[in-house]
Amino acid sequence: MSSQDTGAAAPARIPVMIPWLGEDEARAAADAVLSGWVAQGPRVAEFERAFAERVGAEHGIAVSSCTTALHLSLIALDLGPGDEVVVPSLSFIATANAVRYVGAQPVFADVEEATGNLTPATVDAVRTPRTKAVIAVHQGGVPADVHALRAACADRGLALVEDAACGIGATVGGKPVGQGALLAAWSFHPRKVITTGEGGMVTTDDAAWAERLRRLREHGMNVSAAQRHASSKPIAESYLEVGYNYRMTDIQAAVGLVQLGKLDEIVARRRFLAARYAQLLAGVPGLTPIRDPSHGEGNFQSYWVLLAEDFPVGRDELLAALAEAGISARRGIMASHLEPAYAGHGAAALPVTERITRDSLILPLFHTMTEEQQDRVVAALRAQAGGG
Ligand SMILES: *Cc1c(COP(=O)(O)O)cnc(C)c1O
């Protein structure tokens, strides 16, 4: 980020997101390096325990990303060619791609406008006899109505995987997102609420799945490197099935443990800034900000606004005007079915998805954002909204 300081009092550019990392994370990473154990080891095990406990799950299996967490979750469900998995098109493309990794077919469902999430009705609209599972996304940290979705999936004999890449710290009915999930997949990419640089996690209450996923992330080995290290006798490992190298490093986990300790503070700050945005934006015509659904509370990992159909400028023009004012905003959540990777894939009509992806934008929101920065964003939006 260059400020191109000309001596004038040009305010610094406002980023859309920056992770809240500091000395504590740097020290934890240095300690891991100095310990000599840098690959998957004791810190990964500790991070798994702490993370699972925080989200109310029995088991945590740390992996290299949410994408690999989703891949392993679908393997746990034994999905493959001939099976269909219902996913929202309105998601980061990894949600749909993971289905293709196991040879199954992603089937795109629409979302509800208020949350950007699947509902039992949008799933039912595209379900067929080949449908085996559903991946519900907690989009942008807005919790999906998992109680309704779990009940609907149970009724129809479908497995429900939760793509909780953005969901850490969000709640449903006062309980953390992840609690009671069959399989939930999490991300620690810097764009998410807490980060390990890159990284992911699967959480589940099922001990047999947990054991298999631990094996699959480590080449299918029946003995982990950590177990081998801890044993006084040599242990010969064997490879029980074709696995992957989807491991997390102890350096990442060390950072993750510090970040997890800051989670409550981060979510509280994001919710404060989101509430303040909502208040300020109420005075700007033609913008509908994302807000908490009635069934839960979000973490506002992404704070988006939907433009009215008659907003005076188009979304891309609005993004350009914000950029001109030194503000980095982003187009709204992508729609996977519109990308070249899914050309010819076929999809039902997805009118809400297409409207949200076309007419929404994500505003800057990060832990260290100041109220003055937020006021600048609102002023720049107001200048484009017309009507003073
Ligand atoms: C970011 C994201 C992913 C991918 O996470 P990675 O850790 O980068 O693999 C998957 N699904 C959703 C909904 C995301 O937002």
Side-chain angles (χ1 to χ4, degrees), residues 206-288:
D206 188 296
W209 276 345
E211 188 183 326
R212 184 168 179 218
L213 295 182
R214 283 183 206 294
R215 201 159 69 214
L216 283 169
R217 72 159 167 206
E218 201 167 9
H219 305 290
M221 265 197 299
N222 64 337
V223 189
S224 72
Q227 284 168 320
R228 228 172 9 186
H229 183 83
S231 168
S232 53
K233 294 194 278 285
I235 310 180
E237 78 278 14
S238 72
Y239 297 83
L240 303 184
E241 59 183 317
V242 173
Y244 304 86
N245 178 358
Y246 283 173
R247 286 178 297 225
M248 176 183 275
T249 69
D250 255 32
I251 305 171
Q252 291 166 296
V255 171
L257 281 162
V258 178
Q259 286 270 288
L260 194 59
K262 292 175 163 182
L263 176 64
D264 289 341
E265 204 184 329
I266 292 174
V267 172
R269 178 69 184 163
R270 297 190 73 84
R271 288 186 56 79
F272 168 80
L273 290 168
R276 192 167 180 274
Y277 257 142
Q279 210 168 29
L280 296 169
L281 292 171
V284 181
L287 296 181
T288 306

Side-chain angles (χ1 to χ4, degrees), residues 66-67 69-75 77 79 84-102 104-111 116-119 122-123 126 131-139 144 146 149 153 158-165 182-186 342:
C66 182
T67 304
L70 286 167
H71 183 192
L72 294 187
S73 297
L74 299 180
I75 295 175
L77 294 171
L79 296 174
E84 292 182 356
V85 179
V86 173
V87 300
S89 168
L90 190 82
S91 185
F92 185 60
I93 198 163
T95 310
N97 286 349
V99 177
R100 294 175 73 177
Y101 297 164
V102 297
Q105 273 289 91
V107 174
F108 293 121
D110 213 354
V111 292
N117 287 325
L118 294 184
T119 67
T122 69
V123 171
V126 298
T131 306
K132 295 287 165 50
V134 175
I135 304 180
V137 178
H138 299 285
Q139 193 51 260
V146 287
L149 286 163
C153 286
L158 307 176
L160 180 67
V161 174
E162 296 179 35
D163 180 340
L182 200 60
L183 291 153
W186 310 82
Y342 286 90

